Amino acid sequence: MANVGPTTHTLDVPGARLCYDIRGSGPLLLMIGSPMGSRGFTALASLLAADFTVVTYDPRGILRSTISDPGQKATPELIADDVQQLISTLDAGPAHVFGNSGGATTGLALITRHPNAVRTLVAHEPPVTEFLPDVQQVRTTIDELCRDYAAGHSDVALRKYSALSGVSFAPPPPVGQASTRELYTPPKDVRAILDRFFGYILQPTTRYRPDLDALRTASVPIVVGGGTTSQGQLYHRTAAALAGLLDTPLATFPAGHTGFQEQPEPFADLLREAFGTAHTKPHPRAHTTAPQ
């Protein structure tokens, strides 16, 4: 692939049309979020484009990617199949994969279903809540806040979600005030993302239980990461639980759940380390902690 970008492309998959961006040159690196789309990875992708052909995309039903059935549940298996088709279309795989949050869960499902598509996976704070000792309480809270959102009580749902996870959705700037953030999303798009997230993404993602045997026996190196400032939060706890079950150190990445936006340069350095030593099934050696 030529050193160009970003360029924008589309791909038809069963029931959806995916929109994706390509920048840089070198080995294929795919960045996956959920519900985050391509825009959220802009700073990180730009930093890594000198070393990799970086592909970012909007998952089905998010932002520029359309979906035939708006009521379709976004199961990790379904989204992993989308990603596999994208990698196949690019014809440059297997791919290094960086997945954040629900995108990290997609990466785990991708290894399980299509291991030959992945060269290395860095799974940053995957919400694998089924592995927590308090899973029943977490399930109950998620079901409750999703019902609140469906009933039109979006503010209540957002507060409950933030209290549960420690993660909040940044509000848009006041009317008439321009955003200085490169990843600013217009209010109408934020609402559409929230509708999809609370209606069709959050429950199937957090209910997904990765196949530990498949992950343990896969030849794909897996790095499970958590943020320095998110310790004790729900998705740091799930990352630590998964790392313990895979008998691997928990890699520490800068800042919080979206640390690649807060501190993209040191985050990019750690990803280069992880992907650059992929053949030895590594973990960032100077940045690991014992599973908690």
Side-chain angles (χ1 to χ4, degrees):
M1 293 184 178
N3 186 7
V4 295
T7 59
T8 300
H9 311 263
T10 59
L11 172 66
D12 288 330
V13 296
R17 172 169 289 181
L18 306 180
C19 188
Y20 62 98
D21 301 313
I22 303 176
R23 47 168 62 81
S25 63
L28 181 61
L29 167 56
L30 181 62
M31 297 183 179
I32 312 174
S34 180
M36 181 180 290
S38 183
R39 187 181 297 138
F41 292 111
T42 298
L44 184 64
S46 298
L47 287 169
L48 291 171
D51 305 291
F52 301 91
T53 298
V54 183
V55 177
T56 56
Y57 91 118
D58 298 335
R60 61 169 60 205
I62 296 293
L63 296 172
R64 302 167 300 170
S65 291
T66 59
I67 187 169
S68 300
D69 176 9
Q72 182 185 53
K73 295 287 186 180
T75 66
E77 295 93 340
L78 175 66
I79 306 306
D81 288 350
D82 286 349
V83 171
Q84 187 275 331
Q85 291 191 58
L86 177 55
I87 293 171
S88 178
T89 296
L90 293 167
D91 196 25
H96 295 298
V97 176
F98 168 62
N100 176 68
S101 193
T105 304
T106 300
L108 297 170
L110 183 64
I111 288 179
T112 301
R113 296 171 69 81
H114 309 285
N116 293 334
V118 186
R119 186 171 174 183
T120 318
L121 171 65
V122 174
H124 185 256
E125 300 203 350
V128 285
T129 58
E130 292 293 295
F131 293 143
L132 295 177
D134 55 339
V135 57
Q136 192 56 57
Q137 180 181 345
V138 173
R139 281 182 187 172
T140 299
T141 303
I142 288 175
D143 289 347
E144 180 182 274
L145 65 88
C146 286
R147 285 194 298 270
D148 288 333
Y149 193 91
H153 308 303
S154 59
D155 289 346
V156 173
L158 286 166
R159 285 196 298 269
K160 288 181 179 178
Y161 179 72
S162 181
L164 173 68
S165 67
V167 177
S168 59
F169 290 87
V175 175
Q177 178 180 323
S179 172
T180 57
R181 299 182 66 190
E182 195 171 19
L183 50 89
Y184 169 63
T185 302
K188 67 178 180 62
D189 289 341
V190 171
R191 179 55 186 265
I193 291 171
L194 293 178
D195 288 351
R196 183 100 188 119
F197 179 64
F198 287 111
Y200 308 102
I201 295 176
L202 179 58
Q203 287 170 306
T205 299
T206 55
R207 292 291 200 277
Y208 178 72
R209 191 178 184 90
D211 185 335
L212 293 174
D213 288 339
L215 296 176
R216 290 183 184 119
T217 57
S219 60
V220 179
I222 301 173
V223 177
V224 182
T228 56
T229 63
S230 55
Q231 293 186 29
Q233 294 179 0
L234 180 64
Y235 300 143
H236 191 283
R237 291 201 295 125
T238 56
L242 178 62
L245 290 167
L246 294 179
D247 194 25
T248 185
L250 179 67
T252 301
F253 284 84
H257 189 59
T258 53
F260 53 91
Q261 294 177 342
E262 301 166 64
Q263 297 187 33
E265 292 186 2
F267 209 105
D269 288 341
L270 286 176
L271 288 180
R272 287 190 191 95
E273 180 182 347
F275 296 138
T277 55
H279 296 297
T280 58
K281 209 164 185 174
H283 305 279
R285 291 179 295 277
H287 306 275
T288 56
T289 58
Q292 300 175 4

